[in-house]
Amino acid sequence: MNIQKVNGLKGEVQIPGDKSISHRGIMLGALAKGTTKITNFLQGADCLSTIGCFRQMGIEIENTSNEVLVHGKGLHGLRAPQNTLDVGNSGTTMRLLCGILSPQAFASALTGDRSIQTRPMKRVIEPLSQMGADIQSLKGNGCAPLQIQGSRLKGIHYQSPVASAQVKSCVLFAGMYADKTTSVTEPVLSRNHSELMLQHLGAKLSGEGTTVSIEPEPLLEAREIPVPGDISSAAYFIAAGLLVPHSQILIKNVGVNPTRSGMLKVCHAMGADIQYLNEHRDSGEPTADLLVTSSSLTGTVIEGEIIPTLIDELPMLAVMAAFAQGKTIIRNAEELKVKESDRIKAVTENLSAMGADITATCDGMIINGGRRLTGADIRTQKDHRIAMSFAVAALAAEGVTHIGDADCVNISYPEFYQDLQKLGGIRFDR
Ligand code: S3P
């Protein structure tokens, strides 16, 4: 896909549903009693993988374009899958499913694509084994494929070494089947969608600071789940509106949960003009419309507790930093190395190819912004967030940018290029 510089993006965009919340809606809907209606469900490949896995375990799921009905069978209603469960590219599906599968009365196996088979699964194998689970990495390398024999689980307190909502959610989901209370403490608070949804469906949770506990055997009852727009997808439109001169974009119904919205704080520190409109709350999740106007940005430091709240937006923020005046330092973001690709490497190599002054560090990047960027051949590593970040970079860079494997956006945002095109003036050549 070839993309060229544009001058002025104008209009309104309706962001597709949040990926994290869509996954959790299917999983907890399957474990609830009754029919869960999920509206604004994300029809991206990752969430469709989650649907596929639960259908294999006997859950009837009706998926029309914008609404999903999950006919839940209660906490103990899953059936043994006939085949290995395939999570595709989805780390969330694999790690959260490990928590649900470990306590079942049946054996199961999980695998996925090449990328997922290189991603660390020890981070969930470790706490689940402490709870008494029997879960093995079949190649002995701590990665998928994984084999699980169902076991009875003990409630534990888990001190997680990583701030990861996937690890936290995995342990909490397993904790629903344990013999007593299960709790997790993480070094820094990660996204809390599992906690909010579990409470919305009737589970008993408590906690303080970065610790959360769940009581066993909750009676989950089906309730409607309205999914807010995904702030991680909105991030590309926020950046496009800020970077392309003479732009103004209204981004509708964006989830602005504080455990996810660190990017907005960083944009503010960089001098961005973003207005919050129409703020409200849906099933515990705060949402707002965001009005973004082109702004001249300055560099900043992104580090510490804010990192988990913007971890998926860091590729986009690094691109923004390359267009900003002055230095940006990103620290404490070593988790970027174990995402769908090594995102420190992918961002550094591609921004360098466009002419940016960027250095990779062991836990982030240092960017001296303000150089003139020119179009380049972008190697996305089939990573959706790299493809979308550099599609936005292309809109503000000189000349033509080629995005390799551009279709990988299907993972989280199938309509990405069409939605961008609606804002005017953009030409894509395939
Ligand atoms: C997610 C948690 C984050 C995030 C991922 C989705 C989730 O991963 O990067 O895209 O839905 O729980 P980690 O838990 O590995 O930080």
Side-chain angles (χ1 to χ4, degrees):
M1 160 106 51
N2 291 324
I3 309 181
Q4 291 190 31
K5 186 169 179 165
V6 287
N7 195 9
L9 299 170
K10 293 244 165 2
E12 209 176 280
V13 55
Q14 190 81 40
I15 295 295
D18 186 278
K19 183 154 79 71
S20 295
I21 299 175
S22 296
H23 280 301
R24 287 159 172 80
I26 299 296
M27 295 178 182
L28 295 179
L31 303 180
K33 280 250 158 73
T35 299
T36 293
K37 178 163 133 187
I38 310 174
T39 54
N40 197 33
F41 178 82
L42 173 64
Q43 300 287 341
D46 272 9
C47 298
L48 298 180
S49 294
T50 295
I51 290 187
C53 291
F54 279 87
R55 282 188 175 145
Q56 272 220 53
M57 292 189 283
I59 301 297
E60 192 196 330
I61 301 172
E62 296 173 67
N63 186 5
T64 58
S65 68
N66 201 33
E67 190 177 286
V68 173
L69 297 177
V70 186
H71 298 285
K73 291 194 170 164
L75 216 51
H76 299 278
L78 297 179
R79 197 179 69 197
Q82 296 300 303
N83 301 303
T84 298
L85 297 168
D86 185 353
V87 306
N89 190 244
S90 175
T92 307
T93 311
M94 179 156 290
R95 295 198 178 113
L96 272 56
L97 259 183
C98 286
I100 294 173
L101 292 172
S102 292
Q104 298 299 326
F106 53 77
S108 53
L110 287 158
T111 194
D113 70 6
R114 272 174 61 167
S115 153
I116 204 86
Q117 291 188 41
T118 66
R119 297 184 64 190
M121 294 300 147
K122 269 198 189 132
R123 53 181 60 198
V124 291
I125 295 176
E126 176 60 33
L128 289 172
S129 303
Q130 284 183 26
M131 294 177 83
D134 179 348
I135 169 168
Q136 309 292 334
S137 156
L138 285 176
K139 291 187 180 151
N141 59 358
C143 300
L146 303 175
Q147 175 73 43
I148 299 175
Q149 305 296 335
S151 317
R152 283 188 192 283
L153 300 189
K154 307 189 282 271
I156 60 164
H157 172 68
Y158 187 59
Q159 184 85 39
S160 177
V162 278
S164 159
Q166 293 178 355
V167 172
K168 173 174 60 177
S169 305
C170 165
V171 176
L172 291 176
F173 288 0
M176 293 194 285
Y177 297 86
D179 61 352
K180 60 178 194 295
T181 310
T182 295
S183 55
V184 188
T185 300
E186 37 184 2
V188 176
L189 189 65
S190 67
R191 63 191 67 189
N192 64 356
H193 304 301
S194 294
E195 295 91 307
L196 293 178
M197 195 180 293
L198 281 162
Q199 277 172 322
H200 180 61
L201 300 180
K204 280 205 192 83
L205 278 86
S206 56
E208 229 192 283
T210 63
T211 300
V212 59
S213 307
I214 189 163
E215 298 307 318
E217 293 295 326
L219 268 181
L220 301 181
E221 296 224 40
R223 285 185 68 182
E224 186 165 335
I225 300 176
V227 182
D230 195 328
I231 191 165
S232 299
S233 300
Y236 308 108
F237 291 86
I238 294 170
L242 294 173
L243 295 179
V244 175
H246 315 297
S247 298
Q248 188 164 65
I249 307 176
L250 180 65
I251 312 172
K252 305 276 282 181
N253 186 36
V254 182
V256 290
N257 179 322
T259 63
R260 288 290 296 286
S261 56
M263 182 193 184
L264 295 172
K265 285 191 194 149
V266 169
C267 286
H268 187 67
M270 294 175 87
D273 179 353
I274 304 174
Q275 288 177 56
Y276 278 49
L277 306 170
N278 191 22
E279 289 180 65
H280 58 284
R281 205 173 258 275
D282 248 350
S283 313
E285 291 283 355
T287 64
D289 298 342
L290 303 175
L291 183 64
V292 181
T293 308
S294 323
S295 307
S296 48
L297 302 178
T298 49
T300 188
V301 178
I302 312 174
E303 62 180 354
E305 291 192 356
I306 203 167
I307 294 291
T309 72
L310 47 65
I311 189 74
D312 293 338
E313 291 67 77
L314 282 171
M316 189 68 263
L317 282 165
V319 167
M320 288 166 59
F323 285 98
Q325 293 301 320
K327 183 185 278 205
T328 292
I329 304 176
I330 301 173
R331 292 195 193 101
N332 313 122
E334 50 278 273
E335 277 293 301
L336 288 179
K337 294 183 187 164
V338 291
K339 294 296 177 187
E340 287 82 329
S341 70
D342 176 343
R343 288 182 177 160
I344 294 182
K345 192 160 176 267
V347 168
T348 306
E349 285 179 0
N350 287 312
L351 270 179
S352 298
M354 294 183 87
D357 177 352
I358 175 167
T359 310
T361 63
C362 60
D363 66 348
M365 296 162 240
I366 300 172
I367 302 147
N368 289 304
R371 281 213 199 168
R372 226 172 84 109
L373 300 199
T374 47
D377 200 353
I378 301 301
R379 299 188 181 172
T380 60
Q381 316 292 341
K382 297 193 176 151
D383 182 334
H384 55 133
R385 303 219 182 274
I386 300 298
M388 292 187 274
S389 298
F390 281 87
V392 173
L395 300 176
E398 302 301 324
V400 181
T401 298
H402 175 77
I403 310 284
D405 293 308
D407 289 346
C408 63
V409 304
N410 287 336
I411 289 295
S412 63
Y413 198 161
E415 311 293 322
F416 173 69
Y417 299 109
Q418 290 90 317
D419 282 356
L420 205 50
Q421 213 154 22
K422 283 185 204 148
L423 300 174
I426 305 178
R427 264 197 20 232
F428 298 123
D429 305 319
R430 292 228 172 219

